[in-house]
Coordinates of all heavy atoms in Angstrom, one line a residue:
N180 N -80.2 -261.6 85.5 CA -79.0 -262.5 85.6 C -79.2 -263.9 85.1 O -78.3 -264.7 85.2 CB -78.4 -262.5 87.0 CG -79.3 -263.2 88.0 OD1 -80.4 -263.7 87.6 ND2 -79.0 -263.2 89.3
A181 N -80.3 -264.1 84.5 CA -80.6 -265.5 84.0 C -79.6 -265.9 82.9 O -79.2 -267.1 82.8 CB -82.1 -265.5 83.4
N182 N -79.2 -265.0 82.1 CA -78.3 -265.3 81.0 C -76.9 -265.5 81.5 O -76.0 -265.9 80.7 CB -78.3 -264.2 79.9 CG -79.6 -264.2 79.1 OD1 -80.3 -265.2 79.0 ND2 -80.0 -263.0 78.6
D183 N -76.6 -265.3 82.8 CA -75.3 -265.5 83.3 C -75.1 -266.9 83.9 O -74.0 -267.2 84.3 CB -75.1 -264.5 84.5 CG -74.9 -263.0 84.0 OD1 -75.2 -262.7 82.8 OD2 -74.3 -262.2 84.8
H184 N -76.1 -267.7 83.8 CA -76.0 -269.0 84.5 C -74.8 -269.9 84.0 O -74.2 -270.6 84.8 CB -77.3 -269.7 84.5 CG -77.6 -270.4 83.2 ND1 -77.2 -271.7 82.9 CD2 -78.4 -270.0 82.2 CE1 -77.6 -272.0 81.7 NE2 -78.4 -271.0 81.2
E185 N -74.6 -269.8 82.7 CA -73.5 -270.7 82.2 C -72.1 -270.2 82.8 O -71.3 -271.0 83.2 CB -73.5 -270.7 80.7 CG -74.7 -271.4 80.1 CD -74.6 -271.5 78.6 OE1 -73.5 -271.1 78.0 OE2 -75.6 -271.9 78.0
K186 N -71.9 -268.9 82.7 CA -70.6 -268.4 83.2 C -70.5 -268.6 84.7 O -69.4 -268.8 85.2 CB -70.5 -266.9 82.9 CG -70.4 -266.6 81.4 CD -70.1 -265.2 81.1 CE -70.0 -264.9 79.6 NZ -68.8 -265.7 79.0
I187 N -71.6 -268.5 85.5 CA -71.5 -268.8 86.9 C -71.1 -270.2 87.2 O -70.3 -270.5 88.0 CB -72.9 -268.4 87.6 CG1 -73.1 -266.9 87.6 CG2 -73.0 -269.0 89.0 CD1 -74.5 -266.5 88.1
A188 N -71.7 -271.1 86.4 CA -71.4 -272.5 86.6 C -69.9 -272.8 86.2 O -69.3 -273.5 86.9 CB -72.3 -273.4 85.7
V189 N -69.5 -272.2 85.2 CA -68.1 -272.4 84.7 C -67.1 -271.9 85.8 O -66.1 -272.5 86.2 CB -67.8 -271.8 83.4 CG1 -66.3 -271.8 83.1 CG2 -68.6 -272.6 82.3
S190 N -67.5 -270.7 86.3 CA -66.6 -270.1 87.4 C -66.6 -271.0 88.6 O -65.6 -271.2 89.2 CB -67.2 -268.7 87.8 OG -67.0 -267.8 86.7
A191 N -67.8 -271.5 89.0 CA -67.8 -272.4 90.1 C -66.9 -273.6 89.9 O -66.2 -274.0 90.8 CB -69.3 -272.9 90.3
R192 N -66.9 -274.2 88.7 CA -66.0 -275.4 88.4 C -64.6 -275.0 88.5 O -63.7 -275.7 89.1 CB -66.4 -275.9 87.1 CG -65.6 -277.2 86.7 CD -65.9 -277.6 85.3 NE -65.5 -276.6 84.3 CZ -65.8 -276.6 83.0 NH1 -66.5 -277.6 82.5 NH2 -65.4 -275.6 82.2
E193 N -64.2 -273.8 87.9 CA -62.8 -273.4 87.9 C -62.3 -273.0 89.3 O -61.1 -273.1 89.5 CB -62.7 -272.3 86.9 CG -62.9 -272.7 85.4 CD -62.9 -271.5 84.5 OE1 -62.9 -270.4 85.0 OE2 -62.8 -271.8 83.3
L194 N -63.2 -272.5 90.1 CA -62.7 -272.0 91.4 C -62.9 -273.0 92.6 O -62.7 -272.6 93.7 CB -63.5 -270.7 91.7 CG -63.3 -269.5 90.8 CD1 -64.2 -268.4 91.0 CD2 -61.8 -269.0 90.9
G195 N -63.2 -274.2 92.2 CA -63.3 -275.2 93.2 C -64.5 -275.1 94.1 O -64.5 -275.6 95.3
V196 N -65.6 -274.6 93.6 CA -66.8 -274.4 94.4 C -67.6 -275.7 94.6 O -67.7 -276.4 93.6 CB -67.7 -273.3 93.8 CG1 -69.1 -273.2 94.5 CG2 -67.0 -272.0 93.9
S197 N -68.0 -276.0 95.8 CA -68.7 -277.3 96.0 C -70.1 -277.4 95.4 O -70.4 -278.4 94.8 CB -68.8 -277.5 97.5 OG -69.5 -278.7 97.8
A198 N -70.8 -276.3 95.4 CA -72.2 -276.3 94.9 C -72.6 -274.8 94.6 O -72.2 -273.9 95.3 CB -73.2 -277.0 95.8
V199 N -73.5 -274.7 93.6 CA -74.2 -273.4 93.4 C -75.6 -273.6 93.9 O -76.4 -274.4 93.4 CB -74.2 -273.1 91.9 CG1 -75.0 -271.8 91.6 CG2 -72.8 -273.0 91.3
I200 N -75.9 -272.7 94.9 CA -77.3 -272.8 95.4 C -78.2 -271.8 94.6 O -77.9 -270.6 94.6 CB -77.3 -272.4 96.9 CG1 -76.3 -273.3 97.7 CG2 -78.7 -272.4 97.5 CD1 -76.1 -272.9 99.1
V201 N -79.2 -272.4 94.0 CA -80.0 -271.6 93.1 C -81.3 -271.2 93.8 O -82.1 -272.1 94.2 CB -80.4 -272.5 91.8 CG1 -81.3 -271.6 90.9 CG2 -79.2 -272.9 91.1
N202 N -81.4 -270.0 94.1 CA -82.6 -269.4 94.7 C -83.5 -268.6 93.8 O -83.0 -268.1 92.8 CB -82.2 -268.5 95.9 CG -81.5 -269.2 97.0 OD1 -82.0 -270.1 97.6 ND2 -80.2 -268.8 97.2
K203 N -84.8 -268.6 94.1 CA -85.7 -267.8 93.3 C -85.8 -266.4 93.9 O -86.2 -266.2 95.0 CB -87.0 -268.4 93.2 CG -87.0 -269.8 92.5 CD -88.4 -270.5 92.4 CE -88.9 -270.9 93.8 NZ -90.1 -271.7 93.7
Y204 N -85.3 -265.4 93.1 CA -85.4 -264.0 93.6 C -86.8 -263.6 93.8 O -87.7 -263.9 93.1 CB -84.8 -263.1 92.6 CG -85.0 -261.6 92.9 CD1 -84.2 -260.9 93.7 CD2 -86.1 -260.9 92.3 CE1 -84.4 -259.6 94.0 CE2 -86.3 -259.6 92.6 CZ -85.5 -258.9 93.5 OH -85.7 -257.6 93.7
Y205 N -87.0 -262.8 94.9 CA -88.3 -262.2 95.2 C -88.1 -260.7 95.5 O -87.0 -260.4 96.0 CB -89.1 -262.9 96.3 CG -88.4 -263.0 97.6 CD1 -88.5 -261.9 98.6 CD2 -87.6 -264.0 98.0 CE1 -87.8 -262.0 99.8 CE2 -86.9 -264.1 99.2 CZ -87.0 -263.1 100.1 OH -86.4 -263.1 101.3
G206 N -89.1 -259.9 95.3 CA -88.9 -258.5 95.4 C -88.8 -258.0 96.8 O -89.1 -258.7 97.8
G207 N -88.5 -256.7 97.0 CA -88.4 -256.1 98.3 C -88.1 -254.6 98.1 O -88.1 -254.1 97.0

């Protein structure tokens, strides 16, 4: 999902999101 970051950020702006919390995925 690394290549999705621009679209996620744009969606956040358009949908009135306060912040995008960026976490580092780990396996399980």
Side-chain angles (χ1 to χ4, degrees):
N180 65 4
N182 290 333
D183 286 20
H184 75 86
E185 293 186 4
K186 292 185 180 298
I187 291 174
V189 170
S190 292
R192 183 185 62 190
E193 294 175 348
L194 297 171
V196 171
S197 177
V199 178
I200 301 172
V201 182
N202 295 300
K203 296 181 292 189
Y204 170 85
Y205 58 88

